[in-house]
Amino acid sequence: MATSASISSKPRFNHSIFPRVHSSDVIFPASVAVDRKSSRRNVFRGVGVVRSCSNKVVAIDDRKVECVGDSTREKGRVLKVGLICGGPSAERGISLNSARSVLDHIQGDDLHVSCYYIDPHLNAYAISSAQVYSNTPADFDFKLESLAQGFETLTEFAEHLAASVDIVFPVIHGRFGEDGGIQELLEKSNVPFVGTGSKECRTAFDKARLFYDASLELKRQGFITVPNFVLQGDELDESGLSRWFSNNKLDANSGKVVVKPTRAGSSIGVTVAYGVADSLTKVREIISEGIDDKVLVEIFLGGGREFTAIVLDVGSDFNQQPVVFLPTEVELQSIDSGDISERDAIFNYRRKYLPTQQVVYHTPPRFPLDVIHKIREGASILFKRLGLRDFARIDGWFLPPSSTMMSSSSSEGNDFGKTESGTVIFTDINLISGMEQTSFLFQQASKVGFSHSNILRTIIQHACMRSPTLASYCTKSNPSQTTSKSSKNDALKKVFVIFGGDTSERQVSLMSGTNVWLNLQVSGDLEVTPCLLAPGNDTGSRTVWSLPYSLVLRHTTEEVLDACTEALEPARAALTSHLRSQVMEEIVNGLKKHDWFKGFDISDEQPIKFTLENWINLAKKVQATVFIAVHGGIGEDGTLQSLLEAEKVPYTGPGFSASKICMDKVATSLAVKNLTSFGVLTINKEVKRKEDLLNTSSCDVWDDVTSKLQCETLCIKPARDGCSTGVARLCCANDLGVYVKALENCLPRIPPNSLAKAHGVIEMPVPPPEYLIFEPFIETDEITIMSKSKNKNKNENVGLLWEGRSRWVEITVGVIGKQGSMRSLMPSVTVKESGDILSLEEKFQGGTGINLTPPPLSIMSTEALIKCKERIELIANTLELEGFSRIDAFVNVDNGEVLVIEVNTVPGMTPSTVLIHQALAEEPPVYPHRFFRTLLDLGSERFI
């Protein structure tokens, strides 16, 4: 097991492509205090940062603010914000994502952020901002004792906040964050915070009490509710549930219902059940998993259409003035799958947070106008009557006249929500809405003129108004210089960020491109335009869409394309413009009285469609640099690079030749085959055509391949696709048959545990690849993260458990630099949470997957790590990479030998990518704004 010292140590390397001091938004953690018992009231120094200030580096800690050569601070003090994430709920990974997004968008000369984390057992820690960029809390949970300052009690934590920050922004989802727990703690210590008070949180968070308790005033005042039954405790009321099924004319054996926790957010544990027995089984699962001990069973709203609406309070002097943004319709796509869980389409955790084609958003919703008005009116009433503050998200359903809901509520005089076009029902209050980059908050805010930074700062400043001591701060909304085309300056350097395409990784490409765009646009000297590469049969027919701000923030590339078409449809565009103007007027009426509000910073623009050729010509004309974020296909096989090179348009990443070689996994192996004597090894491969697999017995193929490769188990993957889709471990001929059947039927995914060895969902390339690669499956030892148990004391050792029998571990590592002088970033050890192959979620979805950066010394020595990095650099320079890429490999932990898996010339650049973790492991740490700007600058210098 690793010791704290071994986990936190990391070797230093002298050469670096990153400048030591640069006029940018780089943030450097100060020294970290590790003694929990020393000087409890001391201010934690590990959350200090360095920020730019009018091109001068500023040192900020909890005691002082100094801005050399700048008069910004003369206008007011810096507002110190405490950002708290984590918590005990299963949504703590999403909470970390939200915190990362907030951190990205609120920092500035006038606002300093200190970061804090609550672990699953309600232990509080002050953490460096670098830790917020971890993929998941599991990345650092086990080493908090060595990397962060812990607090002995929550009371001590609250006392620290009272002494160290001006206001707290809690982004804990679910329990302790939305149930009044953190709010009560802050109230007792008189710490100002963003959001609703503790008492009101307790009421709004409990679905059973809020919407279904007959004694609650809301129901008596006319709000229509869904028929439900509440089950609680160890002994479940089966007879009562049976009577409820009968009373609501539901078949006791097959009646379709929704089962969900009453106090666990809007997506965790939500599932569909059939009949009384199945319902009780699902209820017991929720209780046994510790999600909640009180569970709701309610009628499935067949034919209903789900919506969600963000509410912003623009009032003052403790007078609420809620404004409801344009609601979003959540459309679940019908899934043709043998997996019953896929047929039971509900808006669950996976659909909400992983970008697949299973869900589409429409803002505003495709509802009749009277229904949209009723949603906005009802959400506003709920916000007021529940005593909510600052902002919230309210979910519900629209039931068309054709949808029937058997409820006695209508006979009780409950009629709010009824319109000529159907019925509106509210079902969930979210006190701390998700704040990931493309969350509903930012989608809806951008529709009415707010950038990410502007809406977050507006929320914070509104919360500050409740505290007289914060009134003097001149924190202000800080509209970006580059978000509105009407304000663009010809002197700004032009950047086109392109993403999308038609490969199986196009949704990840959308996430990557969005993240790059948002990070680059904070640079005051850049004009950054997001661009979507649409699917096409050949290069000549390709089209590219130049996108306005609000159309980028979508779930899938298909959704972005539909939104572009919809935005140009006259009737739809007119409705959106009308509603947008109405909401903006309501917002201005409330905020115009506040000096800190400087207006909206997102203009109402239309998307523009180009042919790929015309788009490249435009890039040449305006002297733009193209930041390529298209994974796979023409974005990674050299085609796009060749087209840009022909017109001398600078772009990021490797050139045409290197891209073409690295896209072909067989060609990559051949290109580095001569490096064996230098400790660089390759994996033997056997390539098969898809048609041959379809027309040959799986047993015959299995025998042939295992004989040639001399192995017992195989890894199968597309020959020319990305690194995450279609990759599976095959243990027998039957496994191969299942995989080939998925290819034959063009299945978008293979359900969990369809193969002999346990695994998660395997996302498949659509359309299926023409060629597939078979490789021997490389066995590595399982790495287990050891963390504290609820029943163990605080002094229990935590760390890693690794037996190390095979002496090989899987790593992924970024390389960066100019051709011929590429250097390796700090490698990351990849830890699989389930199965033997990293799933799409574990690679790219924030809140899942574990990456250990740097490799702990308990696994790999400093000497082996140095050798590993040298060999990675040798691979990069042999392949003539440039700009940046990512190399996946196995490494021998004793001698640093590297066994190459593949090279990604357009690696994932999502908010949770390991590239960011590795840049943060540099000395000094390089934060995302600076990292992506460095990659851009390398591309801009291509033809110089």
Side-chain angles (χ1 to χ4, degrees):
M1 185 176 297
T3 64
S4 296
S6 67
I7 293 171
S8 60
S9 300
K10 57 186 177 184
R12 300 187 179 206
F13 298 87
N14 295 325
H15 57 303
S16 175
I17 195 168
F18 300 108
R20 291 301 185 191
V21 178
H22 200 288
S23 56
S24 67
D25 287 334
V26 183
I27 310 167
F28 307 136
S31 60
V32 179
V34 296
D35 186 356
R36 292 180 57 140
K37 297 183 181 297
S38 63
S39 188
R40 293 185 180 182
R41 300 302 296 273
N42 281 355
V43 175
F44 179 54
R45 305 305 173 196
V47 292
V49 299
V50 172
R51 254 189 244 21
S52 67
C53 186
S54 298
N55 295 327
K56 306 289 186 180
V57 174
V58 187
I60 301 178
D61 62 24
D62 288 317
R63 294 172 298 173
K64 63 181 181 179
V65 177
E66 180 182 357
C67 185
V68 181
D70 183 55
S71 60
T72 303
R73 297 285 58 79
E74 295 175 3
K75 301 174 183 178
R77 293 183 295 159
V78 169
L79 182 69
K80 292 181 289 186
V81 177
L83 186 63
I84 306 179
C85 62
S89 85
E91 290 185 283
R92 58 184 172 276
I94 301 304
S95 169
L96 188 65
N97 298 345
S98 292
R100 179 169 54 235
S101 182
V102 172
L103 182 63
D104 272 344
H105 296 294
I106 67 174
Q107 295 185 107
D109 299 340
D110 55 349
L111 194 150
H112 167 226
V113 183
S114 297
C115 300
Y116 302 91
Y117 173 71
I118 306 291
D119 77 4
H121 314 308
L122 296 183
N123 299 308
Y125 297 87
I127 62 174
S128 72
S129 49
Q131 286 173 271
V132 177
Y133 290 93
S134 300
N135 189 42
T136 167
D139 283 353
F140 60 81
D141 264 338
F142 69 97
K143 49 186 176 181
L144 279 168
E145 297 289 342
S146 63
L147 290 187
Q149 177 191 354
F151 300 92
E152 290 294 335
T153 64
L154 288 176
T155 300
E156 179 189 330
F157 174 49
E159 291 173 354
H160 164 85
L161 293 173
S164 305
V165 304
D166 299 309
I167 190 167
V168 165
F169 197 143
V171 288
I172 299 175
H173 305 309
R175 284 188 295 126
F176 195 66
E178 295 181 86
D179 62 1
I182 186 69
Q183 291 81 6
E184 183 176 11
L185 179 70
L186 297 172
E187 287 166 351
K188 287 181 178 178
S189 294
N190 296 314
V191 179
F193 60 90
V194 173
T196 300
S198 62
K199 179 182 176 182
E200 292 78 11
C201 280
R202 281 191 291 272
T203 298
F205 188 65
D206 190 331
K207 300 179 187 70
R209 182 169 184 266
L210 176 61
F211 291 107
Y212 310 121
D213 189 336
S215 66
L216 198 65
E217 197 65 24
L218 287 177
K219 186 169 183 179
R220 292 210 298 265
Q221 290 179 5
F223 279 84
I224 299 172
T225 61
V226 184
N228 68 93
F229 190 82
V230 178
L231 293 159
Q232 185 172 10
D234 297 330
E235 298 196 10
L236 303 180
D237 185 2
E238 182 174 356
S239 60
L241 182 61
S242 297
R243 287 193 299 273
W244 178 83
F245 264 76
S246 176
N247 293 340
N248 286 280
K249 301 179 181 178
L250 292 171
D251 188 283
N253 297 314
S254 61
K256 192 173 183 179
V257 295
V258 174
V259 179
K260 59 185 178 182
T262 64
R263 299 163 296 191
S266 59
S267 57
I268 292 292
V270 182
T271 186
V272 168
Y274 293 88
V276 175
D278 189 33
S279 297
L280 291 172
T281 298
K282 300 291 175 58
V283 169
R284 291 189 181 98
E285 288 175 358
I286 291 173
I287 295 174
S288 65
E289 290 172 11
I291 297 174
D292 199 352
D293 62 358
K294 186 162 70 171
V295 184
L296 202 67
V297 179
E298 64 181 24
I299 286 180
F300 186 93
L301 298 176
R305 294 155 74 182
E306 195 168 357
F307 68 81
T308 186
I310 297 294
V311 187
L312 177 71
D313 190 359
V314 299
S316 57
D317 299 327
F318 296 93
N319 293 320
Q320 292 170 297
Q321 191 177 335
V323 175
V324 182
F325 290 172
L326 303 186
T328 296
E329 174 191 356
V330 179
E331 179 190 12
L332 296 177
Q333 303 289 73
S334 58
I335 304 295
D336 184 14
S337 169
D339 184 359
I340 189 170
S341 65
E342 293 297 333
R343 294 201 305 269
D344 292 334
I346 57 174
F347 191 42
N348 59 17
Y349 186 83
R350 190 171 193 270
R351 290 188 175 94
K352 181 177 290 188
Y353 295 114
L354 180 67
T356 68
Q357 295 183 68
Q358 299 176 57
V359 63
V360 176
Y361 302 145
H362 303 276
T363 309
R366 301 165 304 169
F367 301 162
L369 192 57
D370 62 337
V371 173
I372 295 175
H373 288 324
K374 185 62 67 174
I375 290 172
R376 296 191 66 235
E377 178 189 1
S380 178
I381 292 172
L382 281 173
F383 192 94
K384 277 188 172 182
R385 291 183 181 172
L386 292 172
L388 309 188
R389 302 191 314 208
D390 299 329
F391 78 118
R393 195 185 88 229
I394 299 179
D395 303 337
W397 291 78
F398 162 53
L399 304 178
S402 58
S403 174
T404 59
M405 185 186 73
M406 295 159 287
S407 173
S408 60
S409 59
S410 57
S411 63
E412 299 171 0
N414 295 18
D415 57 8
F416 183 87
K418 292 184 178 178
T419 72
E420 293 183 359
S421 305
T423 303
V424 173
I425 298 175
F426 297 97
T427 57
D428 285 284
I429 306 291
N430 298 272
L431 286 312
I432 301 178
S433 177
M435 284 167 273
E436 294 183 297
Q437 288 182 343
T438 58
S439 66
F440 293 123
L441 172 65
F442 299 127
Q443 286 184 27
Q444 295 182 23
S446 66
K447 274 291 186 182
V448 295
F450 285 105
S451 68
H452 288 64
S453 174
N454 201 359
I455 186 60
L456 289 172
R457 283 170 166 257
T458 296
I459 290 169
I460 291 170
Q461 187 60 56
H462 186 271
C464 285
M465 292 168 52
R466 288 193 294 274
S467 175
T469 60
L470 300 181
S472 62
Y473 286 98
C474 70
T475 303
K476 61 185 179 182
S477 297
N478 187 24
S480 169
Q481 301 176 41
T482 61
T483 54
S484 174
K485 291 185 179 178
S486 61
S487 64
K488 286 181 178 178
N489 188 328
D490 290 338
L492 299 178
K493 179 178 176 55
K494 309 299 187 292
V495 181
F496 292 173
V497 179
I498 187 168
F499 45 87
D502 53 8
T503 73
S504 55
E505 289 189 293
R506 60 190 177 277
Q507 317 308 357
V508 176
S509 173
L510 174 60
M511 294 169 65
S512 291
T514 301
N515 190 46
V516 171
W517 161 62
L518 288 171
N519 273 283
L520 288 180
Q521 71 168 359
V522 302
S523 298
D525 62 334
L526 300 180
E527 177 187 308
V528 190
T529 304
C531 305
L532 177 73
L533 175 66
N537 296 324
D538 57 72
T539 303
S541 66
R542 296 276 186 173
T543 58
V544 178
W545 288 85
S546 175
L547 303 172
Y549 195 112
S550 65
L551 291 194
V552 186
L553 307 179
R554 292 294 187 275
H555 209 55
T556 64
T557 56
E558 290 78 11
E559 192 182 340
V560 175
L561 287 169
D562 289 344
C564 288
T565 303
E566 194 175 75
L568 298 177
E569 199 277 314
R572 178 70 174 175
L575 173 64
T576 301
S577 179
H578 164 71
L579 292 172
R580 170 189 167 100
S581 297
Q582 179 180 336
V583 174
M584 291 176 74
E585 183 178 353
E586 294 174 14
I587 292 170
V588 169
N589 286 339
L591 296 180
K592 64 183 179 182
K593 61 180 77 73
H594 306 304
D595 292 340
W596 48 264
F597 180 66
K598 302 302 178 183
F600 303 102
D601 55 337
I602 303 296
S603 59
D604 190 11
E605 299 168 356
Q606 297 296 308
I608 303 173
K609 186 177 183 180
F610 300 90
T611 64
L612 179 57
E613 180 182 6
N614 288 342
W615 179 80
I616 292 175
N617 288 334
L618 175 63
K620 179 179 181 180
K621 179 181 178 181
V622 302
Q623 299 181 320
T625 297
V626 174
F627 200 117
I628 300 176
V630 178
H631 301 313
I634 71 168
E636 206 164 351
D637 67 4
T639 301
L640 185 55
Q641 291 81 358
S642 178
L643 294 172
L644 292 168
E645 282 182 16
E647 298 299 328
K648 298 296 183 184
V649 175
Y651 60 89
T652 58
F656 158 73
S657 179
S659 297
K660 185 176 181 181
I661 290 173
C662 293
M663 185 62 172
D664 187 328
K665 297 177 178 68
V666 175
T668 303
S669 291
L670 292 174
V672 297
K673 195 77 173 177
N674 63 334
L675 301 180
T676 302
S677 61
F678 297 97
V680 175
L681 313 176
T682 57
I683 304 174
N684 292 330
K685 295 175 172 58
E686 179 72 13
V687 182
K688 296 285 187 181
R689 293 177 65 248
K690 179 192 69 175
E691 292 305 317
D692 291 339
L693 295 177
L694 296 181
N695 297 320
T696 308
S697 161
S698 293
C699 289
D700 291 342
V701 173
W702 180 264
D703 292 341
D704 176 57
V705 174
T706 54
S707 174
K708 288 179 179 178
L709 296 179
Q710 296 183 345
C711 61
E712 295 182 358
T713 59
L714 298 170
C715 179
I716 188 171
K717 62 181 71 172
R720 295 174 55 83
D721 208 322
C723 60
S724 59
T725 51
V727 183
R729 179 182 185 179
L730 307 179
C731 295
C732 57
N734 185 60
D735 283 354
L736 177 59
V738 172
Y739 192 96
V740 170
K741 195 69 175 177
L743 294 175
E744 182 179 18
N745 295 332
C746 298
L747 295 182
R749 62 193 58 84
I750 297 176
N753 303 321
S754 298
L755 306 178
K757 195 161 174 40
H759 63 86
V761 174
I762 300 173
E763 299 287 341
M764 295 293 288
V766 178
E770 289 302 311
Y771 292 90
L772 292 113
I773 291 175
F774 291 89
E775 299 173 345
F777 183 83
I778 306 298
E779 294 280 358
T780 59
D781 291 321
E782 181 180 359
I783 300 173
T784 303
I785 305 296
M786 303 293 291
S787 59
K788 293 177 182 175
S789 167
K790 287 183 180 180
N791 299 320
K792 300 289 182 69
N793 62 55
K794 287 189 175 184
N795 295 320
E796 178 197 359
N797 289 329
V798 294
L800 300 176
L801 181 63
W802 179 65
E803 294 184 5
R805 289 189 300 269
S806 76
R807 311 310 293 166
W808 290 87
V809 296
E810 185 175 350
I811 62 167
T812 184
V813 55
V815 290
I816 184 169
K818 296 184 177 181
Q819 187 177 127
S821 59
M822 297 291 285
R823 64 170 294 262
S824 169
L825 297 177
M826 184 63 69
S828 300
V829 175
T830 56
V831 179
K832 295 173 281 289
E833 291 188 306
S834 61
D836 296 293
I837 303 293
L838 283 176
S839 67
L840 184 66
E841 290 100 325
E842 289 173 314
K843 275 186 176 287
F844 299 112
Q845 179 189 359
T848 58
I850 301 171
N851 297 290
L852 305 178
T853 312
L857 286 176
S858 60
I859 293 178
M860 181 185 284
S861 69
T862 298
E863 293 75 17
L865 180 57
I866 292 173
K867 287 291 186 183
C868 170
K869 286 171 65 94
E870 290 173 350
R871 286 160 178 151
I872 290 293
E873 291 172 357
L874 178 61
I875 295 167
N877 291 319
T878 300
L879 292 170
E880 298 185 336
L881 301 180
E882 60 184 300
F884 72 109
S885 296
R886 195 188 78 232
I887 297 175
D888 298 337
F890 298 102
V891 63
N892 185 294
V893 298
D894 296 322
N895 58 25
E897 281 188 336
V898 171
L899 178 60
V900 180
I901 299 174
E902 60 190 1
V903 178
N904 300 276
T905 54
V906 183
M909 290 166 277
T910 66
S912 57
T913 179
V914 294
L915 290 181
I916 290 178
H917 308 170
Q918 293 170 12
L920 288 166
E922 290 289 294
E923 295 286 358
V926 180
Y927 277 68
H929 298 330
R930 177 73 250 145
F931 178 66
F932 288 115
R933 180 59 189 264
T934 299
L935 304 185
L936 174 69
D937 290 344
L938 284 168
S940 297
E941 297 167 1
R942 180 176 296 275
F943 298 119
I944 295 178

